[in-house]
Amino acid sequence: MDAQTILDVRDLKIDFHTEMGVTRAVDQVDFQLKKGRILGIAGESGCGKSVTALSIMRLLPKPVSRIVQGRIMFDGVNMVTLPINELHRIRGKKIAMIFQEPMTALNPVHGIGKQIMEVYRLHFPDFSPREMTTAAVRLLEKVGISDPHQVMKKYPHQLSGGMRQRVMIAMSLACEPQILIADEPTTALDVTVQAQILALIKDLQRTSGMSVILITHDLGVIAENCDDVVVMYAGRIAEKAPTTTLFKHPLHPYTKGLLTSIPSLAREPKTILPTIKGAVPSLLNMPEGCRFASRCPRVENICRKKVPQERRMDQNHTVACHLADA
Amino acid sequence: MVILQVSNLKKHFPVTSGVFLRRTGWVYALDGVSFTVNKGETLGIVGESGCGKTTLGRCIMGLYAPSDGQVMIQDQDVSRLTAKQRKHLALNLQMIFQDPFESLNPRQTVKDILEEKYIIHGKKTKNLTSEIARLMETVGLLPEMLSKFPHEFSGGQRQRIGVARAISLEPEIIVCDEPVSALDVSVQSKILNLLLELQRTMGLTYVFISHDLSVVKHVSDRIAVMYLGKIVEMADARDIYKNGQHPYTQALLSSIPLPDPASNRDRIILKGEVPSVEHPPSGCRFNTRCVHVQPICRQTEPELRKNATDPNHVTACHFFI
């Protein structure tokens, strides 16, 4: 792990035990988060992007899911095997997380102020109540809330979606984390509010120098906010590259398919969109070999037999495809 | 040919409180909306949550009785129909819903779901089964799937069933309320293609409601942008994206994240959020968030005015040239 890497995920495998059998939701996932960078994890529903994010914080639902293999190295320790009491010192303090639906992530029966101060009570027990209040007010100001004293007294249901997400971000920043994991932070919000929240995250990242993992299904959000991208498909990584490279020279057929199927503003209206044929195979019944094989326009025999390993095509550009060529 | 005409449509919902449900205010969900839709065209309705786009769709369907104004389809006022006339109208007016999980009865097989329409309208014939099988093929599903239940399908397939149900009686107008927002990108493009294809082959007219501007632009001939119960701008799809006049349209366009890291456009990031529909601001409803706001905007409400060069382009802003 070089000095620039702050989080190193290696060969991660996560199983889910369901009524219908054991499924591997995340398989051979391998990526690095660099200091001060925004890493985007993109993919469609069920591709394992949220499961990967939750596993970093060890928040996977128990006992149905289990990390069966792999390491998640942060600050010289392996998060996968860390005892729970030591994990508590990292969770929320050094690595923080925000979620898609701020209404369900906030506690409805406690005021906003109390919920923010709870973070300080946990991680900085020697703060006096007054110090906690000042710190909480400063945080709310930092996330662009103009009347922090008023908001502190309110309950989550009294705030709008955008305000709730700002409060969530304020809470996650309370301990000045080194890593912020944002799992679809703007999916529940309107476009104009989404633009505000993303600008805020980017701004906070720039001023604090923290690293961010941004999980989203929206490639537009990735293009505008991330430095690097990981594209996931059916539990595996399809492609990894710096954002500009990925959008300019996508190598994996899945990435290419995704990019061309977006109804972009530049496209002539009422024309037929290119599509990816078929559907994502069920996790319970994954094909041997490449998981994208059944939908791939370039499929060959080898794709159905052998799992493609990640190949380095360029310094920072890797792709898991037998046939991709630079 | 005008097939659907909406004039000065208003829908106000009462806000009640207390044990006796005393009315304490009104939610102005739709506050004077007018437009026409021609046969075979798609009118896109776009706006953020609370702008009234879903209420508009439901008023067109006759699911809500308007507080004022009217919806005319083939010279009939939708809100003033007898039950019999309303049933007859259903042959020509159908809807596709947002959530393909909730809009299909989980206890019915696909065959039952699709057959129901024919039975209700007394169109059950001997070769109904083959007709339904053909319908399945039209929307890209296999006829063998007819005996399955909705939960056995993926989101995209379920939406295809929803589409099949809507087109089964060969209607003229379909109101699509966020038909692809619950779907993944790769599935979304397939449903959009299906809708475009069906429009071409069946000559359908769509009212396409969505919060996603890229999607709306892709399917529409004309687009109406709504804000707090009013249309703020309406123009041809190409025109609105190239030449949007209203400050809200411009802000909305610039907040769409583009899948192109090389684009270096100036972004307009609006301050604040949509005000409550219960207490809309006086004057122009957008004045609390507008970057160009002037005193007149807080006093007088701007009317929709035609563009000097293009009569199809209307904008409700005091400062639009």
Side-chain angles (χ1 to χ4, degrees):
Chain A
M1 189 157 124
D2 65 86
Q4 279 312 302
T5 305
I6 185 158
L7 186 79
D8 191 4
V9 177
R10 291 278 175 198
D11 198 23
L12 191 66
K13 292 181 183 170
I14 299 169
D15 275 356
F16 271 70
H17 296 260
T18 67
E19 282 171 21
M20 286 169 295
V22 181
T23 67
R24 179 144 301 172
V26 166
D27 196 21
Q28 299 179 5
V29 163
D30 207 287
F31 66 87
Q32 286 75 42
L33 173 65
K34 298 257 194 288
K35 261 188 197 134
R37 305 270 280 185
I38 303 185
L39 172 76
I41 302 185
E44 299 179 281
S45 11
C47 73
K49 54 191 192 302
S50 288
V51 172
T52 307
L54 288 172
S55 72
I56 297 171
M57 296 281 273
R58 284 256 298 275
L59 288 172
L60 289 171
K62 277 180 185 170
V64 287
S65 55
R66 207 164 63 87
I67 299 177
V68 282
Q69 199 184 317
R71 281 180 306 163
I72 300 172
M73 299 300 289
F74 169 73
D75 225 2
V77 294
N78 185 355
M79 298 286 284
V80 176
T81 53
L82 203 65
I84 197 79
N85 56 339
E86 283 176 49
L87 190 68
H88 282 319
R89 281 204 286 269
I90 294 178
R91 220 190 246 170
K93 190 172 184 182
K94 291 180 177 167
I95 306 180
M97 189 159 181
I98 50 178
F99 301 89
Q100 172 172 352
E101 202 5 277
M103 189 61 214
T104 41
L106 289 168
N107 189 333
V109 300
H110 291 301
I112 298 296
K114 189 175 172 190
Q115 296 192 48
I116 298 179
M117 288 192 287
E118 190 182 6
V119 184
Y120 290 111
R121 263 199 300 280
L122 267 172
H123 293 289
F124 301 98
D126 9 314
F127 267 34
S128 72
R130 181 174 296 172
E131 277 174 315
M132 283 187 204
T133 316
T134 345
V137 167
R138 224 185 11 243
L139 270 179
L140 289 176
E141 277 168 356
K142 204 167 157 187
V143 296
I145 290 176
S146 49
D147 49 348
H149 290 281
Q150 288 302 312
V151 171
M152 294 267 283
K153 287 182 209 142
K154 289 192 173 162
Y155 287 86
H157 74 269
Q158 295 171 298
L159 303 176
S160 66
M163 287 288 261
R164 286 197 283 256
Q165 199 56 288
R166 283 178 197 269
V167 169
M168 279 300 296
I169 295 173
M171 285 168 74
S172 68
L173 296 177
C175 301
E176 295 174 3
Q178 290 165 272
I179 300 176
L180 175 69
I181 302 173
D183 187 1
E184 303 263 13
T186 56
T187 310
L189 307 174
D190 278 320
V191 263
T192 57
V193 183
Q194 160 167 300
Q196 295 169 358
I197 297 292
L198 290 173
L200 173 70
I201 293 178
K202 234 174 144 173
D203 195 44
L204 292 167
Q205 185 274 330
R206 226 176 277 143
T207 47
S208 70
M210 66 180 173
S211 312
V212 177
I213 297 180
L214 182 64
I215 294 155
T216 175
H217 66 282
D218 187 334
L219 290 165
V221 170
I222 297 267
E224 294 201 340
N225 298 286
C226 300
D227 301 305
D228 306 288
V229 197
V230 171
V231 180
M232 289 187 72
Y233 180 79
R236 290 203 188 124
I237 289 179
E239 189 163 3
K240 275 190 302 211
T243 309
T244 37
T245 319
L246 187 99
F247 282 84
K248 222 192 240 166
H249 301 293
L251 292 177
H252 199 284
Y254 176 63
T255 320
K256 286 183 188 169
L258 266 190
L259 284 173
T260 51
S261 64
I262 309 173
S264 85
L265 292 180
R267 201 183 289 278
E268 186 67 4
K270 307 200 90 167
T271 48
I272 295 296
L273 289 164
T275 56
I276 305 173
K277 64 169 184 186
V280 185
S282 146
L283 278 175
L284 285 161
N285 191 15
M286 273 298 164
E288 249 180 274
C290 176
R291 292 182 168 186
F292 189 60
S294 61
R295 309 177 72 189
C296 185
R298 293 186 58 187
V299 63
E300 284 180 19
N301 275 338
I302 182 170
C303 307
R304 298 209 178 82
K305 288 182 192 128
K306 220 174 127 213
V307 177
Q309 297 301 315
E310 276 186 66
R311 289 189 295 145
R312 193 166 292 277
M313 308 304 285
D314 191 352
Q315 202 189 352
N316 298 312
H317 196 166
T318 61
V319 58
C321 173
H322 294 298
L323 308 170
D325 33 41
Chain B
M1 191 184 91
V2 174
I3 192 168
L4 167 71
Q5 183 170 16
V6 172
S7 30
N8 195 28
L9 190 67
K10 292 185 182 171
K11 179 66 192 171
H12 301 166
F13 294 100
V15 183
T16 54
S17 73
V19 207
F20 299 108
L21 297 178
R22 198 163 40 88
R23 184 174 57 73
T24 52
W26 291 100
V27 166
Y28 301 96
L30 278 182
D31 212 12
V33 168
S34 307
F35 59 82
T36 55
V37 184
N38 295 321
K39 188 168 167 49
E41 87 169 338
T42 303
L43 176 72
I45 311 270
V46 69
E48 297 179 279
S49 16
C51 74
K53 52 190 194 300
T54 296
T55 309
L56 175 62
R58 296 197 170 168
C59 282
I60 294 174
M61 293 301 297
L63 297 173
Y64 288 152
S67 312
D68 195 11
Q70 50 185 201
V71 177
M72 301 288 287
I73 293 171
Q74 296 159 337
D75 303 322
Q76 284 181 305
D77 185 341
V78 173
S79 61
R80 282 176 230 284
L81 298 179
T82 60
K84 206 172 164 190
Q85 285 171 318
R86 177 66 189 84
K87 191 174 153 190
H88 188 73
L89 180 72
L91 291 169
N92 270 324
L93 179 66
Q94 289 291 324
M95 190 162 186
I96 298 171
F97 299 90
Q98 168 169 8
D99 196 328
F101 298 84
E102 283 180 23
S103 55
L104 301 175
N105 186 340
R107 291 168 194 275
Q108 281 187 317
T109 62
V110 177
K111 186 164 180 278
D112 294 336
I113 291 173
L114 294 177
E115 258 181 8
E116 207 171 25
K117 277 241 156 88
Y118 294 87
I119 296 169
I120 290 172
H121 290 282
K123 293 198 182 261
K124 194 173 179 187
T125 51
K126 265 187 221 140
N127 42 16
L128 183 58
T129 317
S130 68
E131 195 158 326
I132 285 175
R134 198 178 43 81
L135 193 61
M136 289 287 275
E137 278 167 4
T138 316
V139 298
L141 295 170
L142 299 172
E144 295 92 275
M145 295 170 170
L146 275 170
S147 54
K148 290 190 176 184
F149 287 91
H151 74 264
E152 296 175 79
F153 293 89
S154 68
Q157 288 175 321
R158 266 183 262 208
Q159 198 56 297
R160 284 178 196 272
I161 299 170
V163 173
R165 181 172 60 179
I167 62 165
S168 57
L169 297 173
E170 302 185 3
E172 291 191 74
I173 308 173
I174 298 184
V175 175
C176 312
D177 187 5
E178 303 263 13
V180 295
S181 11
L183 307 173
D184 271 320
V185 199
S186 69
V187 185
Q188 176 178 304
S189 52
K190 289 180 190 165
I191 298 293
L192 291 177
N193 284 348
L194 174 66
L195 291 174
L196 287 171
E197 188 69 39
L198 290 172
Q199 180 167 47
R200 234 192 30 224
T201 52
M202 301 176 65
L204 295 168
T205 306
Y206 290 134
V207 175
F208 193 97
I209 299 165
S210 175
H211 69 281
D212 188 329
L213 285 96
S214 341
V215 168
V216 168
K217 188 219 170 185
H218 191 75
V219 297
S220 306
D221 297 290
R222 283 190 305 136
I223 292 175
V225 181
M226 289 187 68
Y227 188 76
L228 278 183
K230 287 201 173 263
I231 291 179
V232 295
E233 185 162 10
M234 186 156 56
D236 284 345
R238 280 189 201 89
D239 210 34
I240 218 159
Y241 282 84
K242 273 196 207 121
N243 194 18
Q245 299 286 336
H246 199 282
Y248 179 62
T249 311
Q250 292 168 352
L252 209 53
L253 282 171
S254 96
S255 14
I256 310 175
L258 295 183
D260 175 15
S263 86
N264 260 331
R265 55 182 177 154
D266 285 332
R267 303 200 71 178
I268 310 165
I269 295 187
L270 287 179
K271 273 185 255 130
E273 289 175 44
V274 185
S276 124
V277 257
E278 212 179 318
H279 307 286
S282 64
C284 173
R285 299 191 168 197
F286 187 56
N287 79 52
T288 53
R289 302 173 81 195
C290 185
V291 279
H292 307 295
V293 64
Q294 298 287 326
I296 183 178
C297 305
R298 297 199 184 92
Q299 288 148 14
T300 328
E301 184 155 5
E303 296 287 316
L304 275 174
R305 285 186 297 139
K306 281 181 185 157
N307 186 313
T309 51
D310 178 6
N312 283 329
H313 192 151
V314 290
T315 311
C317 175
H318 291 298
F319 297 99
F320 130 82
I321 330 102

